[in-house]
Amino acid sequence: MKPISKTLLVGFFALLLCGCGTTKTLYSWYDYDSTVHTYTKTHTPKSEQALMDTYEKLINKPGGTRKTIQPGICAEYGYLLLKMGKREEGLKLLNKEVELYPESTVFIKRIIKQFEK
């Protein structure tokens, strides 16, 4: 085998092995996608509780490389709580969203204003 062919072959296998590494995500989403889908599709007390449990997990045990709560999670959960009549808890989470992600202030303040009436 020619030296150039050996070099190309070794390079090819090196690239192949590099592609086998695991990628780390910024956030851990746990089973968020499936619980939101189930809640949206069926909207039962069981699916609502599963969604709330998922929100609690995302907020209390943030994972991924950032180790912080994902953008929008506090807002979603807070809004759900407000719709359920849990005003104090919902407003607290909406304010936490603004604290974590100040760029959401305008949008979140509009939601808060609707529920302060």
Side-chain angles (χ1 to χ4, degrees):
M1 201 178 230
K2 294 183 180 180
I4 293 177
S5 298
K6 286 182 182 179
T7 305
L8 287 174
L9 190 59
V10 170
F12 173 74
F13 282 114
L15 285 173
L16 186 64
L17 290 174
C18 289
C20 294
T22 59
T23 58
K24 294 185 178 188
T25 59
L26 291 177
Y27 308 102
S28 290
W29 290 95
Y30 303 109
D31 54 349
Y32 173 78
D33 288 340
S34 61
T35 54
V36 168
H37 175 74
T38 302
Y39 174 75
T40 304
K41 193 171 183 175
T42 61
H43 197 76
T44 63
K46 184 179 177 182
S47 66
E48 185 176 89
Q49 186 58 51
L51 180 61
M52 291 175 66
D53 292 344
T54 300
Y55 282 136
E56 289 291 331
K57 190 182 217 181
L58 290 169
I59 290 169
N60 295 324
K61 297 178 184 178
T65 57
R66 292 208 53 215
K67 302 277 188 232
T68 190
I69 302 168
Q70 301 85 326
I73 292 298
C74 289
E76 283 183 28
Y77 190 28
Y79 185 72
L80 178 64
L81 290 171
L82 285 170
K83 287 177 63 176
M84 294 171 63
K86 298 179 179 181
R87 189 174 180 277
E88 188 175 315
E89 294 173 62
L91 291 175
K92 182 179 174 183
L93 282 168
L94 288 171
N95 286 315
K96 184 170 183 82
E97 180 74 28
V98 170
E99 178 185 318
L100 291 170
Y101 300 99
E103 62 274 15
S104 68
T105 302
V106 173
F107 179 70
I108 300 298
K109 293 298 178 185
R110 286 182 189 165
I111 294 171
I112 291 172
K113 193 172 187 177
Q114 289 177 0
F115 285 92
E116 286 182 335
K117 295 177 182 179

